[in-house]
Amino acid sequence: MPKPKSPKAAEFGPEVRAVFADIKRTRNVAEVNNFWKYLARDPVLLARTWQGVKEVMAPGALDPLIKEMLYLAVSVTNGCGYCIASHTAAARKAGMTEAMFGELMAVVGMANETNRLANGYRVPIDAMFEA
Amino acid sequence: MPKPKSPKAAEFGPEVRAVFADIKRTRNVAEVNNFWKYLARDPVLLARTWQGVKEVMAPGALDPLIKEMLYLAVSVTNGCGYCIASHTAAARKAGMTEAMFGELMAVVGMANETNRLANGYRVPIDAMFEA
Amino acid sequence: MPKPKSPKAAEFGPEVRAVFADIKRTRNVAEVNNFWKYLARDPVLLARTWQGVKEVMAPGALDPLIKEMLYLAVSVTNGCGYCIASHTAAARKAGMTEAMFGELMAVVGMANETNRLANGYRVPIDAMFEA
Amino acid sequence: MPKPKSPKAAEFGPEVRAVFADIKRTRNVAEVNNFWKYLARDPVLLARTWQGVKEVMAPGALDPLIKEMLYLAVSVTNGCGYCIASHTAAARKAGMTEAMFGELMAVVGMANETNRLANGYRVPIDAMFEA
Amino acid sequence: MPKPKSPKAAEFGPEVRAVFADIKRTRNVAEVNNFWKYLARDPVLLARTWQGVKEVMAPGALDPLIKEMLYLAVSVTNGCGYCIASHTAAARKAGMTEAMFGELMAVVGMANETNRLANGYRVPIDAMFEA
Amino acid sequence: MPKPKSPKAAEFGPEVRAVFADIKRTRNVAEVNNFWKYLARDPVLLARTWQGVKEVMAPGALDPLIKEMLYLAVSVTNGCGYCIASHTAAARKAGMTEAMFGELMAVVGMANETNRLANGYRVPIDAMFEA
């Protein structure tokens, strides 16, 4: 019953190596981070998850910095330690300054507070928001 | 043991009326939405919450559109129905297009998925994220 | 594939009726609320849940009003609509005034905010809290 | 103000020792895991929790492997580190293979994603699910 | 600022119609449920989400009934009303009996309880779970 | 891309030092705990958060011990490790005994369980709770 382990590089099959190569090329990094190494235990999940993340985080109507900040806001709300560490780093790499981080955290904190005030006061949705 | 009710306008004291006037002026709206009417049961909480929201959502290193999208990302993650309705409206008013909404939702969905993959695979934080 | 339904009173077996009688006696109410009627689909779950709630909510080192307020704080945090409605009623019946409710909500809101600030700023636990 | 501590074996009273003996017998293990040692600070909570877990996890309409996987799915969703570690071990002991774990994680990840898509798109419940 | 709306069938483009046809064929249903109609506002998200759900929920090391029950366990934990309604229906269609549903709910309830007991008692992970 | 760090005391500007002085005076402590040191990266957030916490936690209709226990109940529900450690300490300092802690945890556990039972059984709110 061992703890889940990242497989050793030597154990990776060709599908995993292909995904890792695409991650490195897309992100221009020398090494993939632990998240992908651990998912490599399940090459199908690894490939689908990477494909999804790659599509979702590509520039579009929102630029990558905004997308990374949204990712971080969700991760902070859920309290996922790994995700907070990795997406804080990714957001900084994409251009998040200290001031932006401070404002992001202030919004996330306030939203988590007012979400509960709305719950507890049982506020009905205004007709104008339902139209 | 009645359900919490929004007080009638006639019952609002001067502190509540002052907060409502500031909300209308700041947001350039004719009427405050239900959230503030319900919080008016507790004028101290109303005043502190409005003051906080006003400061946090003002333009700064992040513009109001990005802040509204972060607020929405948190509200969707928490499943707060009122907050999703009101902050979707606020984000649209601040300029969120249909395409931006679609990308926001895609990021929020993906982040909620990968947060759990990181939890379940018990991925240790990379040294480079701890430095 | 019908929506879960509360069984009709006529359908309740003797174990369910015994639990309902104990709920009415313990709480001094004429009718059990919907939660118990729905759980009655599974008499074993009903009996175990009622036994647990009865023990946990009995007066002890904490009085019933404090216990009801703790229950409400959890329910508001989780966003459980039924639980917020029923435990707001129960807390009022146990003596929660409007001012107490306002302060409870202020604490719940603030705790949900600072929980995320602690997550996002990745604050390490002080040695004095680990001793 | 010390951190909660597991009491030393020598300090356990007879009620605690009786529960521990039943845990060892029921699970056929030589030692109880930390969860139960920490709960032993409150013998009444310990006894009620063990009784509930024992009943709920016993073979029934669902076999123990499925129950352990459901337990793990909840723990991963909530991000409870201790619970993920202990119930991954328990599920493996009950027969969860690496392939089953991979599929479980894929379902948990997808459910957490689509739960938020349903929230954010404010999807109304189909009449056929309400019938 | 209207509430998100499901597009009318007549407005669906060919990519959306292709996804809907695949959903109907795969699930052997006459009509897609609201979730997919609402996602159709964003055809790329619709296609990726359906492809993911189709792969993840296909028979594998776990059969579809177990997968639907895991999906339901997550949805109940997160309190997603739409998801609870639709996946309760899906699990019943896949063979979940009333007794199975009762046991699933008992496990989900217990796991949510003990997750918090482990948090609050700050239980350290046993060495045997880390090995 | 370094991990967020608490600024060194020597780096604190006058606004931060003023807040720290008020925390020490209000709580009668020799040193502020890490939470405040980390928030000091953003002096505006620090000042607003401290002002809010100071107001919310002051004696009122609820005494400080009850407020600390509510804070702890929320933190345990959210699984915030830092917050559980710091508010367990604060609640003990405010007078929470071991027996009170045990009962608090029992209520928090039970509420988290029954919140999910209410979700999964889709229990409609009783008319008496809506009146």
Side-chain angles (χ1 to χ4, degrees), chain B residues 40-72:
Chain B
R41 288 168 62 192
D42 183 340
V44 174
L45 177 65
L46 173 71
R48 187 177 57 244
T49 305
W50 165 244
Q51 193 55 38
V53 167
K54 187 181 172 181
E55 283 177 33
V56 164
M57 301 306 281
L62 299 178
D63 68 48
L65 170 57
I66 296 177
K67 290 182 170 185
E68 282 294 348
M69 290 195 295
L70 291 168
Y71 221 115
L72 182 54

Side-chain angles (χ1 to χ4, degrees), chain F residues 7-70:
Chain F
K8 303 247 180 326
E11 302 163 14
F12 295 137
E15 321 91 305
V16 170
R17 289 198 305 264
V19 172
F20 282 15
D22 193 40
I23 293 173
K24 291 176 192 173
R25 195 166 42 233
T26 305
R27 297 187 161 174
N28 193 24
V29 290
E31 181 72 282
V32 303
N33 55 305
N34 284 341
F35 179 73
W36 304 107
K37 292 180 187 164
Y38 274 65
L39 286 201
R41 288 168 63 192
D42 183 340
V44 174
L45 177 64
L46 173 71
R48 188 179 55 245
T49 304
W50 166 244
Q51 193 55 38
V53 168
K54 187 180 172 183
E55 283 177 33
V56 165
M57 301 306 281
L62 300 178
D63 68 48
L65 169 57
I66 297 177
K67 290 182 171 187
E68 282 295 348
M69 290 195 295
L70 291 168

Side-chain angles (χ1 to χ4, degrees), chain C residues 107-131:
Chain C
V107 174
V108 168
M110 189 59 70
N112 273 288
E113 175 165 1
T114 59
N115 280 196
R116 272 61 182 209
L117 296 178
N119 288 344
Y121 278 93
R122 304 172 65 193
V123 185
I125 299 180
D126 303 73
M128 65 179 163
F129 299 145
E130 296 280 24

Side-chain angles (χ1 to χ4, degrees), chain C residues 1-5 38, chain D residues 123-131, chain E residues 34 81-82 84-86 88-89, chain F residues 121-122 124:
Chain C
M1 267 167 312
K3 177 177 168 186
K5 280 212 171 44
Y38 274 66
Chain D
V123 185
I125 299 181
D126 303 73
M128 65 178 163
F129 299 145
E130 296 281 24
Chain E
N34 283 341
Y82 183 83
I84 292 168
S86 60
T88 299
Chain F
Y121 277 93
R122 304 172 64 194

Side-chain angles (χ1 to χ4, degrees), chain F residues 65-105:
Chain F
L65 169 57
I66 297 177
K67 290 182 171 187
E68 282 295 348
M69 290 195 295
L70 291 168
Y71 222 115
L72 182 53
V74 170
S75 301
V76 167
T77 297
N78 285 330
C80 175
Y82 183 83
C83 316
I84 293 168
S86 60
H87 286 280
T88 299
R92 287 188 190 281
K93 192 173 165 186
M96 180 178 71
T97 62
E98 182 71 11
M100 288 174 178
F101 173 73
E103 296 191 10
L104 178 155
M105 285 304 304

Side-chain angles (χ1 to χ4, degrees), chain D residues 3-130:
Chain D
K3 178 178 168 187
K5 280 213 173 43
S6 158
K8 303 252 180 322
E11 302 164 15
F12 294 138
E15 321 91 304
V16 170
R17 289 199 306 265
V19 172
F20 281 15
D22 193 39
I23 294 173
K24 291 176 192 173
R25 195 167 42 235
T26 304
R27 298 187 162 174
N28 193 25
V29 289
E31 180 72 282
V32 303
N33 55 305
N34 283 340
F35 179 73
W36 304 108
K37 291 179 188 165
Y38 274 66
L39 287 201
R41 288 168 63 192
D42 183 340
V44 174
L45 177 64
L46 172 72
R48 189 179 55 245
T49 304
W50 166 244
Q51 193 56 38
V53 168
K54 187 181 173 182
E55 283 177 34
V56 165
M57 301 306 281
L62 300 177
D63 68 48
L65 170 57
I66 296 177
K67 290 182 171 186
E68 282 294 348
M69 290 195 295
L70 291 167
Y71 221 115
L72 182 54
V74 170
S75 302
V76 166
T77 296
N78 285 331
C80 173
Y82 183 83
C83 315
I84 293 168
S86 61
H87 287 280
T88 299
R92 288 189 189 280
K93 193 175 165 185
M96 181 178 71
T97 63
E98 182 71 11
M100 287 174 179
F101 174 72
E103 296 191 11
L104 178 155
M105 286 303 304
V107 174
V108 168
M110 190 60 69
N112 273 289
E113 174 165 3
T114 59
N115 280 196
R116 272 61 182 209
L117 296 178
N119 287 344
Y121 278 93
R122 304 173 63 194
V123 185
I125 299 181
D126 303 73
M128 65 178 163
F129 299 145
E130 296 281 24

